[in-house]
Amino acid sequence: MKKRVTIIGGSIAGLTSALVLASAKNNELDFEINIIDEGKADLNLVAIYNTPLFPKGIIGKEIIQNTKEQINSLLNVNYISGRVDEISGSKGNLKVIGEGINIESDYIILATGANSFNIKGLGNIVKEHTLISKPNKIRLEYKNRQEVKEGIYVAGIASGVTSMVTTAMGSASEAACALLSDIKGVIVTPHDTPTSRK
């Protein structure tokens, strides 16, 4: 069974969600993943000193590049530069539309950050982000396991977590696990052992 997933946002949250999904690929489940990104990630401007397993002082651009390499070692992902203007349809038949973008998906993950959200078609889901000290930051309203609408999940800072790489990664992992659980109909957490990928 192959599931089509579109991830909107290519910074650490979007990439973490993609990595979790890619790692869950097996003989029964495969993915076609599109990551759409405008190239405006705040991560491009920082160095990281407080995230486990990252080299001390690694710059954001290196994190993005290294994570893409890790994803691509598990699954070929389509990276698209562009902006999404509208989402329509329902789970299993979602449409992602933007300039030069017209993608059909079974699922969507919104990893759009806390600066703004101008995608039409999801109603009034933009709320004030209360865990960032800077003004005019937003989060997206969701229910249950970060589900904005059936088949559409929010990940990273856009979910309302504190603005740190580690919290964005945790939220993104949860969004991907929620998506996997929806596919299987039971709680799913992908795990590996030292010998599972030999």
Side-chain angles (χ1 to χ4, degrees):
M1 154 176 58
K2 182 174 272 194
K3 293 295 182 181
R4 304 164 300 170
V5 180
T6 298
I7 299 173
I8 304 172
S11 189
I12 194 62
L15 294 175
T16 298
S17 291
L19 181 59
V20 171
L21 295 176
S23 75
K25 178 184 172 182
N26 57 35
N27 293 332
E28 298 174 357
L29 180 62
D30 196 1
F31 294 98
E32 175 187 307
I33 297 178
N34 292 293
I35 299 178
I36 304 170
D37 187 53
E38 290 187 64
K40 297 179 179 178
D42 291 341
L43 186 61
N44 286 318
L45 307 174
V46 302
I48 303 296
Y49 289 84
N50 60 0
T51 301
L53 303 178
F54 284 5
K56 181 174 73 172
I58 187 170
I59 61 170
K61 289 179 182 181
E62 288 181 68
I63 293 171
I64 290 172
Q65 185 56 43
N66 293 348
T67 308
K68 283 182 176 180
E69 289 172 10
Q70 189 173 355
I71 294 164
N72 292 337
S73 73
L74 299 168
L75 182 76
N76 289 324
V77 170
N78 186 25
Y79 297 95
I80 301 167
S81 179
R83 185 187 75 239
V84 173
D85 296 319
E86 184 176 355
I87 294 171
S88 63
S90 56
K91 182 176 80 173
N93 189 29
L94 293 161
K95 291 182 179 40
V96 179
I97 301 163
E99 187 174 333
I101 297 169
N102 190 345
I103 298 172
E104 294 185 2
S105 288
D106 298 301
Y107 292 92
I108 295 172
I109 295 178
L110 303 169
T112 53
N115 290 326
S116 64
F117 187 84
N118 300 310
I119 299 172
K120 297 176 185 173
L122 298 177
N124 184 23
I125 60 169
V126 177
K127 305 298 176 192
E128 178 186 2
H129 198 306
T130 59
L131 297 180
I132 297 179
S133 58
K134 296 177 183 176
N136 304 316
K137 297 298 180 182
I138 61 99
R139 66 173 180 84
L140 303 181
E141 186 174 48
Y142 63 86
K143 59 184 180 182
N144 302 323
R145 295 181 71 187
Q146 296 173 216
E147 193 172 38
V148 170
K149 178 182 171 183
E150 192 174 5
I152 303 175
Y153 300 86
V154 60
I157 306 307
S159 72
V161 296
T162 305
S163 180
M164 290 181 67
V165 168
T166 49
T167 56
M169 292 168 68
S171 168
S173 297
E174 175 60 21
C177 287
L179 189 157
L180 289 169
S181 298
D182 188 77
I183 292 170
K184 288 287 195 174
V186 296
I187 301 298
V188 173
T189 308
H191 291 292
D192 281 311
T193 66
T195 59
S196 63
R197 295 196 182 268
K198 288 188 174 183

